[in-house]
C-alpha cells in the first residue's frame, strides 16, 4: 500500500475524531451554561470525582451533568448537605511511574449558599486557605504513605 494513502487515512481519522471531541466539548460547555442560568436560586457544586449520594439519596435525582473538565456538576438548594463520593488523584513521577491514589465512598458534609460556586476534589496540599469550606485529611497507607486532602472551596 502506498504510504501517502496511509498518511491520508490517518489524517482523515484524526480530523473526524477531532470534530467529534470538539462537538462533545461544546455540548458539555452549553449544558453547564444552561444549568448555571437555570439555577439562579441555587448553589452550583462541581465534584472532581464521582458523587453517589446527596443527603442520603441517589445523586441521580439531582440531575447531575458532566462539565467541561469531566467533573460532575449539581445544582443544590442553599443549606447543609451531606455527600458520599469517590475521588482519584494522579501524582506525576519523574524518576518513578505515576502514582494513582483512590479515595472511595468518602462521607463529607458542608453548607452551600445561594448563587455561589463550589468545587470539591482530592488535593495534595491545602492551597485555597481563604476560600476553604471543608478540609478532610485522608491518609493513604502502604509504601510511601501520604496524606491527601478532600477539599471543598468556593470561588
Amino acid at each position: 500500500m502506498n504510504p501517502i494513502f496511509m498518511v491520508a487515512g490517518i489524517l482523515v481519522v484524526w480530523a473526524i475524531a477531532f470534530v467529534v471531541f470538539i462537538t462533545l466539548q461544546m455540548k458539555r460547555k452549553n449544558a453547564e451554561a444552561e444549568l448555571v442560568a437555570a439555577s439562579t436560586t441555587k448553589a452550583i457544586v462541581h465534584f472532581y470525582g464521582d458523587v453517589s449520594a446527596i443527603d442520603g439519596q441517589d445523586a441521580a435525582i439531582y440531575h447531575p451533568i458532566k462539565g467541561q473538565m469531566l467533573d460532575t456538576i449539581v445544582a443544590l438548594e442553599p443549606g447543609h448537605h451531606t455527600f458520599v463520593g469517590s475521588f482519584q488523584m494522579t501524582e506525576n513521577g519523574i524518576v518513578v511511574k505515576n502514582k494513582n491514589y483512590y479515595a472511595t465512598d468518602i462521607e463529607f458534609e458542608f453548607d452551600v449558599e445561594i448563587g455561589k460556586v463550589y468545587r470539591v476534589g482530592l488535593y495534595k496540599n491545602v492551597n485555597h486557605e481563604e476560600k476553604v469550606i471543608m478540609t478532610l485529611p485522608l491518609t493513604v497507607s502502604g509504601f510511601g504513605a501520604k496524606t491527601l486532602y478532600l477539599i471543598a472551596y468556593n470561588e
Side-chain angles (χ1 to χ4, degrees):
M1 179 172 235
N2 193 344
I4 293 175
F5 291 127
M6 289 177 58
V7 170
I10 290 171
L11 287 176
V12 167
V13 168
W14 180 85
I16 291 170
F18 182 77
V19 168
V20 167
F21 287 122
I22 290 297
T23 303
L24 288 173
Q25 186 68 5
M26 293 303 293
K27 281 185 175 182
R28 286 189 198 112
K29 184 176 182 180
N30 291 338
E32 186 173 335
E34 288 174 10
L35 178 70
V36 169
S39 304
T40 57
T41 61
K42 296 182 180 181
I44 305 296
V45 183
H46 295 254
F47 295 96
Y48 293 95
D50 295 320
V51 62
S52 57
I54 300 173
D55 295 331
Q57 300 174 338
D58 187 12
I61 67 169
Y62 291 91
H63 308 290
I65 63 167
K66 283 292 181 187
Q68 296 179 59
M69 303 299 290
L70 297 178
D71 50 332
T72 303
I73 305 172
V74 177
L76 296 173
E77 294 292 332
H80 188 77
H81 295 281
T82 59
F83 308 93
V84 176
S86 298
F87 300 87
Q88 175 185 351
M89 186 187 88
T90 300
E91 183 177 48
N92 297 326
I94 296 173
V95 178
V96 296
K97 291 174 57 176
N98 295 344
K99 294 180 183 177
N100 293 321
Y101 299 103
Y102 300 93
T104 57
D105 297 330
I106 302 299
E107 294 181 23
F108 57 99
E109 57 188 46
F110 60 93
D111 295 328
V112 297
E113 295 178 24
I114 190 170
K116 291 196 176 183
V117 177
Y118 298 86
R119 300 189 185 278
V120 181
L122 196 59
Y123 298 93
K124 284 175 28 177
N125 302 315
V126 180
N127 294 330
H128 313 283
E129 288 187 33
E130 70 281 354
K131 305 174 192 174
V132 170
I133 306 300
M134 179 221 44
T135 303
L136 180 64
L138 306 170
T139 304
V140 179
S141 59
F143 182 74
K146 178 174 286 266
T147 299
L148 300 175
Y149 301 93
L150 182 64
I151 298 175
Y153 67 97
N154 69 342
E155 299 179 333

